[in-house]
Amino acid sequence: MLEDDSFQQRVYQIVAAIPYGHVTTYGEIARLAGSPRAARQVGGVLRRLPAGSKLPWHRVINRKGSISLPGDNLKRQRDALAAEGIEVSDEGRVSLSRYRCQW
DNA sequence: TGAATGACAAATT
DNA sequence: TAATTTGCCATTC
């Protein structure tokens, strides 16, 4: 487990590397993880993420720059992004050209 | 072991 | 141009 090079572990590390005040897309994370077509699995990992995780999962959004979370979770992420100085629309949409991390 | 699921993305109509 | 459908790949049941 310590040196687990599974996809889940990689996504975990990549998301943890997202700088404050910046966001990234699932596809980008998937590509950095080594599977450009595994964007869904990135979301799948975050979906299984425990509530007490230190991961800034709220900095991960879809290609359209919107939050894909349903219901209350979406509101939670929107609040978390706003707390980092990121302006989010009522629909949970963010300006990718402005906040997207360029690595 | 096999089939189903899913916090996306790209291609097509 | 916008909306809809299909494909993908790792994890879960």
Side-chain angles (χ1 to χ4, degrees):
Chain A
M1 297 229 211
L2 223 57
E3 297 174 7
D4 185 4
D5 53 347
S6 71
F7 206 82
Q8 180 175 353
Q9 189 65 26
R10 282 204 201 162
V11 172
Y12 200 93
Q13 295 285 350
I14 294 168
V15 174
I18 303 175
Y20 180 92
H22 287 263
V23 297
T24 189
T25 64
Y26 297 97
E28 194 65 39
I29 294 175
R31 171 141 67 143
L32 295 173
S35 296
R37 311 295 148 167
R40 273 183 132 190
Q41 278 49 261
V42 177
V45 172
L46 299 181
R47 183 186 179 277
R48 290 257 172 216
L49 218 56
S53 178
K54 311 294 191 298
L55 262 182
W57 57 271
H58 50 266
R59 293 178 191 159
V60 184
I61 54 185
N62 60 20
R63 230 300 201 150
K64 290 179 288 201
S66 307
I67 301 174
S68 301
L69 269 72
D72 296 338
N73 273 346
L74 185 144
K75 286 167 62 177
R76 195 181 304 169
Q77 179 167 8
R78 185 157 73 100
D79 184 60
L81 290 173
E84 297 194 351
I86 301 177
E87 295 184 45
V88 188
S89 297
D90 295 337
E91 296 177 343
R93 205 182 71 208
V94 190
S95 297
L96 276 176
S97 12
R98 186 184 282 171
Y99 295 110
R100 174 116 129 63
C101 184
Q102 317 253 331
W103 299 102

